[in-house]
């Protein structure tokens, strides 16, 4: 069996990588779909550029966090030429670990804000 | 659609952005990226938003493309990589690894650079090792900085005279500031395993080695016990070099004996290999106790009966003391005390001179590191400076050439460096990367340079520097200091040749890079400047070479006052062979008688000195001389000659007469002088019949005046010489000279006839006197060889540089040249255009080089003979050589340019 990196070893994820994983977490999307999803999800605060997108996709694909899938049946005809991406089991675990890490950070940061000593556990 | 008008532009734009990515990445994602890009662009509501998007997309593309390129080199690509990779030292290791890989890909380039640098660095290392051996560590003793030479000034013009033996004893007994030892050096004929040889002897007091803290290599060194009664300690210490040469490094030789001046001397020990005495001009072959000085027959003058004279006369300053300062004593304090000691001595210990005011403080001390190379020191320093200048010019030239190669290469590397810059590598990081690569190149150059240095030192070892410092006698070694020097030069070199190209590369224009085209003519001016610099440096060296070569030619054809070319000579040292005075004279007579029988030999003579060799001088005084100095004591080169000497050399006797058999038999004490000596002693007054007193009191009467000739060197000007009748043997033997129209054949006859008289007599230095001019012209020959080698190297380097730059320039202008040809330009015209461009650069450089040479040529004046430093033919010859070389270097690329195929060259773009 291939060696499987523990999910924590991918942390912290870059913003772009995190947004991409979120975009393909529930349904397969093609590249442009991911760009739109990131824009909507971040209320246009984050604009994913194509270069950054495919560089990250290549990397995430290599690392086994996302995988290419066939176009869904309901896709528009011209979209069938496109590659679709979906999160993998490992990707989901990395995403969960990252969200957990971030929420821990956020909780700790809030404690600082109200004058307590933060604990990162 | 509203985007339509911008559609074509946008497509072109994205196509160029996509072009930045590695091929593989583009193949996988290119199509999707293009459509995503266009779709996103379409959602932007207004022109401003679209432009904003395009700008961000461009930045994104450069960054992503750079990251992807880096990823293909195995470089960190994503920010999510483990943080340890960004440790600065890791970056350095990466840079080194990357540099090595980058260089491995270009073996031809690396070879050219390393060889060029090796020549420059090697030459500098060689010269530094010479400087090191002469000026930095000339004497291998403990704490050399506390060892000094002691001098007594003769006059303000010659402040570095020796002291008399009584004064030396007084210093040794009375001084509380220094521990003093006595030395003096002379040449002595010694019968060794390989026959009779002239060896350098150093006669030293017993405490000499102890004071210097030198320890024996084998056996023992001299000790105070050897300072006993005159002639009572026949012992010698061999130098390590002589021991190896004579006895093949056989340690059992200690205790054996050698014969010097009819006495057997016991070899008591061997000096350590590092110790070469305290004077570089006379590196001793052996050391003997000072008590044996007269027994050694040094100079022939100090016959065994003269001990009283030599060791007691206050006026005879033959001791050259060396001393070690006691702890905490300064040079000034030591000098002051020595002057006090002198002032307590009887009056006749002071040198008095009527022409010059008396010197208040004649005694002085000088660090042994300086006094070791004191003779002709100014000329020596000038010459070494000249050598250093020459090799430094060569190094600069090498740097200019390598800088040029790097510039050409840097435009080839623009893409790679652009990617690194885009990836976020700061300018410092890129400069560092390039500097590391340059240092690796320089290190390679330094390593090969060490080999070049060893070869250079070997090639130069036959030469003698001014001040009689034979390079073969120096302790030249590649030690830690030399290695340190080489390393420093290598790093400095890397900075010199690499800085400009590195800074240019770090200023890489990203926009140019993104358009994926080569800059049209990057650094054209800079490269032309470098070519001009190379031409200037090469011309300066060429002018030096032609000046020295012409000087050697002038020296060879100079008027010596006599013609050396029909003369051949051989030297014998009969006293060492056990001959007494009577048998010696018999031998000479027999030799002359036998040789006269040969019809091809036009003349035969015996002389203790044949012109153009080192002289031997004796102190004379003339009671009625016109100068006080000549009335007290004056050193005059002497030559003991047979009756036929002047006829054999065709030297005219101007007044009076030559020696006759009566003079030679010793009945009368006759002396002959050359015009220069007569003028120094008595001015324009008649010299014939006047009296001269030789040191020791023997009176002589002047019987004839001879024409003044060059005597020791072609640079002699009116050098006084005294001639004595043969039989006055000066310890180094005598030469038998023959004159013949075929001197080579006469030399063979000479050797066979002498062998017939006594086959046991060693015949030293069989030679054509004409060839001796070569030895006399040593500094000029050395200079001419030095400049010839380095100017040739410089010319080759400069040609490579010119060729490289012109070829590169032609490759950049291919399209322009193609169009010109297409429009009807003739090949000859194109050829001229290219040639003109390179010759303009070379011409500018030549002008600068000419100016440099004109400014620097006075520095050469001291080493030139027979020509002026601004010698027009030399300058013209050098300039001609440079222009020819430049034309040769340019013609190949120019011819290629003139044959440019217009269709092909336009299609290239």
């Amino acid at each position: 069996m291939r060696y499987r990196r523990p999910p924590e070893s991918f942390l912290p994820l870059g913003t772009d990588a995190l947004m991409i994983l979120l975009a393909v977490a529930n349904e397969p999307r093609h590249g442009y779909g991911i760009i739109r999803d990131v824009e909507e999800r971040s209320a246009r605060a984050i604009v994913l550029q194509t270069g950054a997108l495919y560089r990250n996709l290549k990397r995430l694909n290599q690392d086994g966090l996302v995988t290419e899938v066939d176009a869904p049946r309901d896709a528009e005809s011209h979209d069938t030429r496109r590659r679709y991406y979906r999160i993998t089991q490992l990707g989901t675990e990395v995403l969960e670990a990252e969200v957990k890490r971030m929420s821990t950070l956020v909780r700790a940061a809030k404690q600082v804000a109200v004058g307590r000593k933060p604990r990162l556990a | 659609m509203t985007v339509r008008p911008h559609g074509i532009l946008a497509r072109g734009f994205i196509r160029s952005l996509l072009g930045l990515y590695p091929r593989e990445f583009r193949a996988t994602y290119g199509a999707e990226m293009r459509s995503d890009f266009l779709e996103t662009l379409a959602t932007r509501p207004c022109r401003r938003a679209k432009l904003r998007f395009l700008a961000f997309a461009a930045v994104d593309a450069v960054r992503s493309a750079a990251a992807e390129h880096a990823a293909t080199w195995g470089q960190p690509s994503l920010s999510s990589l483990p943080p340890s990779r960004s440790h600065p030292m890791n970056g350095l290791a990466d840079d080194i690894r990357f540099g090595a890989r980058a260089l491995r890909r270009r073996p031809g380039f690396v070879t050219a650079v390393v060889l060029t640098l090796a020549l420059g660095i090697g030459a500098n290392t060689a010269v530094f090792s010479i400087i090191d051996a002469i000026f930095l560590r000339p004497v291998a003793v403990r704490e050399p900085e506390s060892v000094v030479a002691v001098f007594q000034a003769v006059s303000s013009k010659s402040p570095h005279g020796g002291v008399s033996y009584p004064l030396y004893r007084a210093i040794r007994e009375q001084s509380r500031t220094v521990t003093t030892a006595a030395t003096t050096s002379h040449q002595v004929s010694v019968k060794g395993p390989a026959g009779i040889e002239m060896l350098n002897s150093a006669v030293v007091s017993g405490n000499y080695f102890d004071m210097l803290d030198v320890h024996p290599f084998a056996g023992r060194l001299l000790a105070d016990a050897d300072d006993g009664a005159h002639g009572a300690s026949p012992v010698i210490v061999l130098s390590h070099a002589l021991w190896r040469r004579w006895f093949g490094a056989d340690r059992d030789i200690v205790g054996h004996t050698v014969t010097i001046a009819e006495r057997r001397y016991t070899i008591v020990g061997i000096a350590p290999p590092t110790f070469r005495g305290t004077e570089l001009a006379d590196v001793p072959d052996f050391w003997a106790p000072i008590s044996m000085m007269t027994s050694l027959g040094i100079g022939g003058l100090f016959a065994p009966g003269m001990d009283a004279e030599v060791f007691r006369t206050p006026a005879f300053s033959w001791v050259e003391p060396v001393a070690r300062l006691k702890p905490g004593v300064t040079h000034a304090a030591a000098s002051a005390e020595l002057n006090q000691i002198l002032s307590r001595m009887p009056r006749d210990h002071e040198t008095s001179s009527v022409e010059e005011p008396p010197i208040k403080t004649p005694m002085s001390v000088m660090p042994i590191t300086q006094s070791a190379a004191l003779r002709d020191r100014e000329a020596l320093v000038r010459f070494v400076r000249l050598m250093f200048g020459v090799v430094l010019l060569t190094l600069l030239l090498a740097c200019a050439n390598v800088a040029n190669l790097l510039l050409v290469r840097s435009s080839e590397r623009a893409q790679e460096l652009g990617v690194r810059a885009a990836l976020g590598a700061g300018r410092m990081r890129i400069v560092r990367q390039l500097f590391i690569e340059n240092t690796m190149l320089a290190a390679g150059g330094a390593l090969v340079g060490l080999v070049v240095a060893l070869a250079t030192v070997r090639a130069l070892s036959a030469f003698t520097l001014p001040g009689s410092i034979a390079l073969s006698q120096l302790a030249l070694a590649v030690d830690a200091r030399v290695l340190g020097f080489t390393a420093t030069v290598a790093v400095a070199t890397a900075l010199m040749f690499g800085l400009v190209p590195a800074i240019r590369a770090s200023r890489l224009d990203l926009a140019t890079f993104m358009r994926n085209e080569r800059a049209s003519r990057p650094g054209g001016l800079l490269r032309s400047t470098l070519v001009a610099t190379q031409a200037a440096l090469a011309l300066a060296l060429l002018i030096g070479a032609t000046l020295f070569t012409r000087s050697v030619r002038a020296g060879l054809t100079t008027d010596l006052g006599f013609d050396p070319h029909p003369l051949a000579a051989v030297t014998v040292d009969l006293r060492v062979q056990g001959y007494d005075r009577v048998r010696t004279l018999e031998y000479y007579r027999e030799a002359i008688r036998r040789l006269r029988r040969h019809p091809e030999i036009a003349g035969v003579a015996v002389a203790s000195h044949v012109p153009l060799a080192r002289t031997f001088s004796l102190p004379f005084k003339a009671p009625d001389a016109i100068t006080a100095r000549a009335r007290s004591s004056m050193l005059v080169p002497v030559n003991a000659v047979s009756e036929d000497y002047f006829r054999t050399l065709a030297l005219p006797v101007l007044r009076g007469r030559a020696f006759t058999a009566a003079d030679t038999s010793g009945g009368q004490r006759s002396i002959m002088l050359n015009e220069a000596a007569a003028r120094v002693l008595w001015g324009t007054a008649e010299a014939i019949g006047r009296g001269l007193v030789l040191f020791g009191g023997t009176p002589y009467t002047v019987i004839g005046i001879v024409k003044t000739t060059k005597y020791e060197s072609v640079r002699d000007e009116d050098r006084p010489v005294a001639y004595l009748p043969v039989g006055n043997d000066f310890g180094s033997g005598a030469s038998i000279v023959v004159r013949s129209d075929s001197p080579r054949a006469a030399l063979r006859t000479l050797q066979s006839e002498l062998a017939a008289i006594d086959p046991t007599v060693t015949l030293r230095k069989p030679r054509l006197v004409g060839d001796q001019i070569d030895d006399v012209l040593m500094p000029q020959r050395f200079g001419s060889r030095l400049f010839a080698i380095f100017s040739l190297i410089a010319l080759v380097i400069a040609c490579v540089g010119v060729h490289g730059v012109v070829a590169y320039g032609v490759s950049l202008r291919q399209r322009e040249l193609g169009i010109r040809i297409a429009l009807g330009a003739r090949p000859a015209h194109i050829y001229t255009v290219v040639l003109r461009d390179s010759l303009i650069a070379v011409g500018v450089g030549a002008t600068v080089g000419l100016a440099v040479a004109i400014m620097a040529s006075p520095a050469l004046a001291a080493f030139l003979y027979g020509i002026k430093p601004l010698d027009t033919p030399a300058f013209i010859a050098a300039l001609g050589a440079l222009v020819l070389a430049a034309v040769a270097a340019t013609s190949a690329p120019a011819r290629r340019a003139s044959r440019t195929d217009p269709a092909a060259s336009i299609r290239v773009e």
Side-chain angles (χ1 to χ4, degrees):
Chain A
M1 192 187 144
R2 257 184 78 210
Y3 167 74
R4 186 169 171 275
R5 276 173 72 181
E8 289 74 23
S9 70
F10 293 97
L11 306 186
L13 288 175
T15 309
D16 290 350
L18 176 66
M19 295 307 284
I20 292 167
L21 283 182
L22 284 174
V24 297
N26 294 323
E27 54 175 309
R29 287 182 199 277
H30 52 62
Y32 181 57
I34 296 171
I35 292 173
R36 282 223 321 250
D37 182 74
V38 169
E39 268 190 54
E40 278 170 28
R41 198 182 295 273
S42 67
R44 306 201 65 163
I46 300 170
V47 176
L48 196 56
Q49 293 288 348
T50 50
L53 167 66
Y54 286 100
R55 191 158 61 93
N56 276 290
L57 274 178
K58 181 186 164 199
R59 182 75 187 209
L60 292 169
N61 197 8
Q62 277 173 358
D63 288 342
L65 305 191
V66 298
T67 185
E68 287 180 26
V69 292
D70 291 336
R73 284 165 200 280
D74 59 345
E76 292 167 42
S77 60
H78 74 272
D79 278 353
T80 53
R81 283 180 295 120
R82 293 178 179 259
R83 265 175 290 197
Y84 279 72
Y85 300 91
R86 189 178 56 77
I87 201 162
T88 61
Q89 178 59 34
L90 177 62
T92 312
E93 286 167 27
V94 170
L95 191 54
E96 278 169 6
E98 173 70 352
V99 170
K100 190 178 163 203
R101 186 188 67 88
M102 289 178 89
S103 54
T104 311
L105 276 178
V106 169
R107 204 169 51 240
K110 278 182 177 164
Q111 283 173 344
V112 172
V114 295
R116 280 192 221 149
K117 194 175 178 186
R119 245 181 239 109
L120 290 179
Chain B
M1 244 210 267
T2 48
V3 290
R4 258 283 163 255
H6 307 291
I8 296 164
L9 276 180
R11 272 165 216 279
F13 186 63
I14 181 142
R15 195 161 47 238
S16 60
L17 288 186
L18 283 172
L20 298 179
Y21 289 89
R23 189 183 300 267
E24 205 183 333
F25 188 85
R26 209 161 51 209
T28 316
Y29 299 107
E32 286 175 80
M33 285 173 79
R34 184 160 51 240
S35 59
D36 289 357
F37 178 85
L38 290 174
E39 284 198 47
T40 315
L41 182 65
T43 63
R44 293 301 183 257
C46 62
R47 197 172 178 163
R48 218 184 122 122
K50 284 185 206 300
L51 283 177
R52 200 176 131 87
F53 171 75
L54 288 177
F56 276 112
V59 173
D60 165 65
V62 172
R63 277 185 51 181
S64 309
E68 280 308 317
H69 276 286
T72 60
W73 301 332
Q75 291 279 320
S77 55
L78 289 182
S79 55
S80 62
L81 281 172
S84 66
R85 288 295 298 269
S86 64
H87 189 276
M89 290 318 289
N90 279 344
L92 190 64
D94 282 345
D95 282 354
I96 290 172
R97 219 173 317 124
F98 183 72
R101 231 181 302 149
L103 292 178
R104 233 186 355 247
R105 282 201 298 269
R106 303 290 309 271
F109 166 80
V110 171
T111 310
V113 170
V114 165
L115 285 184
T116 309
L117 290 178
L119 287 175
I121 295 176
N124 277 273
T125 302
V127 170
F128 177 78
S129 71
I130 291 171
I131 289 174
D132 185 42
I134 295 176
F135 297 108
L136 302 181
R137 44 163 191 89
V139 180
V141 298
R142 180 180 59 83
E143 290 170 30
E145 60 280 0
S146 71
V147 179
V148 294
V150 175
F151 296 112
Q152 181 179 14
V154 177
S155 67
S156 58
K157 276 182 199 149
S158 60
H160 301 128
V163 306
S164 68
Y165 190 77
L167 178 56
Y168 154 71
R169 289 304 308 180
I171 294 170
R172 187 161 168 189
E173 279 148 25
Q174 295 170 29
S175 174
R176 281 189 289 272
T177 57
V178 292
T179 311
T180 313
T183 72
T184 187
S185 55
H186 288 279
Q187 293 209 307
V188 179
S189 289
V190 180
K191 192 174 184 177
I196 309 278
E197 285 185 63
M198 282 296 274
L199 295 183
N200 276 333
S201 72
V203 174
V204 299
S205 57
N207 64 339
Y208 176 76
F209 291 104
D210 204 34
M211 182 274 289
L212 293 174
D213 202 17
V214 173
H215 300 282
F217 175 78
R220 69 168 177 94
L221 300 176
L222 301 177
D224 280 329
D226 297 314
D227 274 351
H230 297 305
S233 268
V235 295
I236 59 168
V237 170
L238 296 187
S239 76
H240 191 267
L242 183 67
W243 170 61
R244 287 187 55 161
R245 188 156 62 81
W246 269 9
F247 301 111
D250 174 10
R251 275 170 194 265
D252 293 337
I253 206 66
V254 172
H256 284 60
T257 60
V258 288
T259 303
I260 308 170
E262 298 138 62
R263 260 193 91 157
R264 300 189 77 75
Y265 284 74
T266 307
I267 300 168
V268 292
I270 296 150
T274 51
F275 186 67
R276 288 156 191 250
T278 37
E279 206 191 321
L280 293 175
D282 289 305
V283 175
D285 294 305
F286 70 89
W287 289 266
I290 206 161
S291 61
M292 299 305 293
M293 186 159 121
T294 53
S295 308
L296 280 165
I298 283 170
L301 176 69
F302 309 137
M306 294 181 77
D307 289 326
E309 204 61 73
V310 168
F311 285 94
R312 274 179 229 146
T313 308
F316 193 27
S317 306
W318 56 271
V319 180
E320 296 155 13
V322 285
R324 191 180 281 279
L325 299 174
K326 297 202 164 142
V329 174
T330 62
H331 291 162
S335 299
E337 195 210 26
L338 295 178
N339 277 303
Q340 271 177 14
I341 292 173
L342 176 68
S343 68
R344 290 197 294 268
M345 299 287 286
R347 287 289 296 170
D348 52 5
H349 277 268
E350 289 173 28
T351 47
S352 57
S353 173
V354 173
E355 303 99 284
E356 295 177 48
I359 300 162
K360 286 202 182 73
T361 55
M363 303 302 296
S364 65
V365 299
M366 179 189 279
I368 198 80
T369 46
Q370 275 177 45
S371 69
L374 191 61
R375 193 187 296 173
D376 233 354
R377 189 174 178 85
E378 265 177 47
L380 177 67
V381 168
R382 269 204 308 265
F383 197 85
V384 169
R385 215 180 269 163
L386 189 70
M387 281 170 73
F388 209 55
V390 168
V391 293
L392 212 60
L393 281 186
T394 311
L395 183 64
L396 284 178
L397 191 73
C399 283
N401 198 46
V402 171
N404 234 334
L405 289 172
L406 283 177
L407 274 179
V408 170
R409 185 164 180 256
S410 74
S411 54
E412 290 169 2
R413 287 184 74 180
Q415 186 165 6
E416 171 211 322
L417 293 175
V419 167
R420 288 178 69 93
L423 176 61
R427 280 182 62 179
M428 273 323 293
R429 180 72 188 263
I430 287 183
V431 169
R432 188 179 81 174
Q433 168 69 49
L434 292 173
F435 181 70
I436 284 172
E437 284 182 37
N438 295 341
T439 309
M440 291 165 91
L441 288 170
L447 278 181
V448 182
L450 283 177
V451 180
V452 173
L454 289 174
T456 309
V457 166
R458 183 162 299 178
L460 295 180
S461 64
F463 290 98
T464 301
L465 292 173
S468 313
I469 294 178
L471 286 178
S472 54
Q473 291 285 353
L474 289 178
L476 298 177
V478 177
D479 56 10
R481 298 150 75 106
V482 174
L483 284 177
F485 172 84
T486 309
T488 312
V489 169
V491 172
T493 308
L495 272 176
M496 247 189 299
F497 72 69
L499 203 59
V500 173
I503 287 172
R504 280 184 55 86
S506 72
R507 267 201 227 125
L508 189 80
D509 179 7
L510 276 182
T512 309
F513 163 65
M514 270 163 49
R515 286 198 303 274
N516 201 16
E517 60 182 42
R518 281 186 186 180
S520 54
R521 287 185 74 175
L525 180 65
L526 186 56
R527 271 202 309 279
S528 298
T529 310
L530 284 170
V531 165
T533 311
Q534 291 182 41
L537 294 170
L539 183 65
L541 290 172
L542 277 171
I543 288 174
T546 49
L547 279 176
F548 268 105
T549 307
R550 278 182 49 79
S551 177
V552 169
R553 290 182 63 87
L556 288 176
T557 57
T558 191
D559 179 18
L560 302 170
F562 70 101
D563 182 8
H565 294 104
L567 302 175
V570 109
T571 301
V572 293
D573 198 340
L574 299 172
R575 196 176 43 171
V576 187
Q577 310 272 168
Y579 279 56
D580 58 15
R581 192 183 136 88
V582 175
R583 279 187 68 205
T584 302
L585 288 177
E586 263 168 27
Y587 180 95
Y588 292 157
R589 265 196 296 274
E590 176 66 12
I592 291 171
R593 196 180 59 77
R594 279 168 175 258
L595 287 162
R596 270 192 188 144
R597 290 203 304 245
H598 292 268
E600 77 272 18
I601 289 175
V604 192
V606 178
S608 64
H609 175 269
V610 176
L612 305 180
R614 247 175 110 170
T615 57
F616 177 75
S617 297
L618 285 178
F620 285 91
K621 56 186 176 185
D624 57 348
I626 53 171
T627 62
R629 181 135 177 65
R631 284 196 293 273
S632 61
S633 172
M634 178 179 158
L635 276 176
V636 182
V638 288
N639 195 0
V641 299
S642 66
E643 301 127 56
D644 280 344
Y645 177 78
F646 303 103
R647 214 174 313 138
T648 306
L649 266 75
L651 285 184
V653 178
L654 302 173
R655 293 192 297 281
R657 61 173 178 88
F659 295 125
T660 62
D663 300 305
T664 310
S665 64
Q668 298 163 310
R669 295 206 178 271
S670 309
I671 193 167
M672 293 174 73
L673 299 175
N674 69 359
E675 273 187 300
R679 196 164 46 248
V680 166
L681 292 169
W682 299 291
T684 51
E686 179 56 74
I688 305 288
R690 290 184 189 261
L692 264 180
V693 182
L694 176 61
F695 170 77
T698 320
Y700 286 88
T701 308
V702 178
I703 59 157
I705 302 298
V706 188
K707 182 184 168 190
T708 304
T709 65
K710 308 286 179 182
Y711 192 69
E712 185 166 16
S713 150
V714 289
R715 293 176 67 93
D716 283 351
E717 296 290 347
D718 289 335
R719 196 183 176 93
V721 177
Y723 296 94
L724 294 171
V726 76
N728 293 274
D729 194 339
F730 299 124
S732 54
S735 297
I736 294 138
V737 199
V738 293
R739 180 184 193 86
S740 170
D741 291 335
S742 49
R744 242 168 247 286
L747 182 59
R748 280 192 295 276
T749 313
L750 175 60
Q751 286 172 285
S752 63
E753 285 291 0
L754 291 183
I757 300 173
D758 182 350
T760 64
V761 170
T762 309
L763 305 179
R764 287 199 290 122
K765 297 199 287 183
R767 63 202 183 271
L768 300 176
V769 177
D771 290 349
Q772 279 180 264
I773 308 179
D774 284 0
D775 298 339
V776 170
L777 288 171
M778 188 55 101
Q780 287 77 19
R781 275 179 51 226
F782 191 1
S784 120
R785 173 77 67 92
L786 186 77
F787 271 99
I789 292 174
F790 287 109
S791 63
L792 207 65
I793 291 174
L795 202 59
V796 169
I797 293 177
C799 281
V800 171
V802 169
H803 177 274
V805 166
V806 173
Y808 184 67
V810 166
S811 79
L812 290 177
R813 290 173 66 187
Q814 201 149 40
R815 185 173 177 182
E816 174 211 325
L817 296 173
I819 290 172
R820 281 184 181 216
I821 289 174
L823 291 178
R826 297 163 58 146
H829 178 68
I830 298 291
Y831 186 92
T832 319
V833 165
V834 174
L835 199 63
R836 190 191 58 202
D837 280 4
S838 99
L839 285 186
I840 286 174
V842 170
V844 170
T847 312
V848 175
L850 215 55
V852 169
I854 289 170
M855 283 190 293
S857 59
L860 294 183
F863 305 107
L864 298 180
Y865 174 79
I867 58 163
K868 297 228 153 45
L870 290 180
D871 183 61
T872 318
F875 275 65
I876 289 173
L879 198 61
L882 179 71
V883 170
L884 272 181
V887 170
T890 312
S891 75
R895 205 166 32 243
R896 217 175 309 129
S898 69
R899 293 201 194 123
T900 304
D901 174 6
S905 68
I906 294 169
R907 229 180 290 128
V908 165
E909 300 286 308

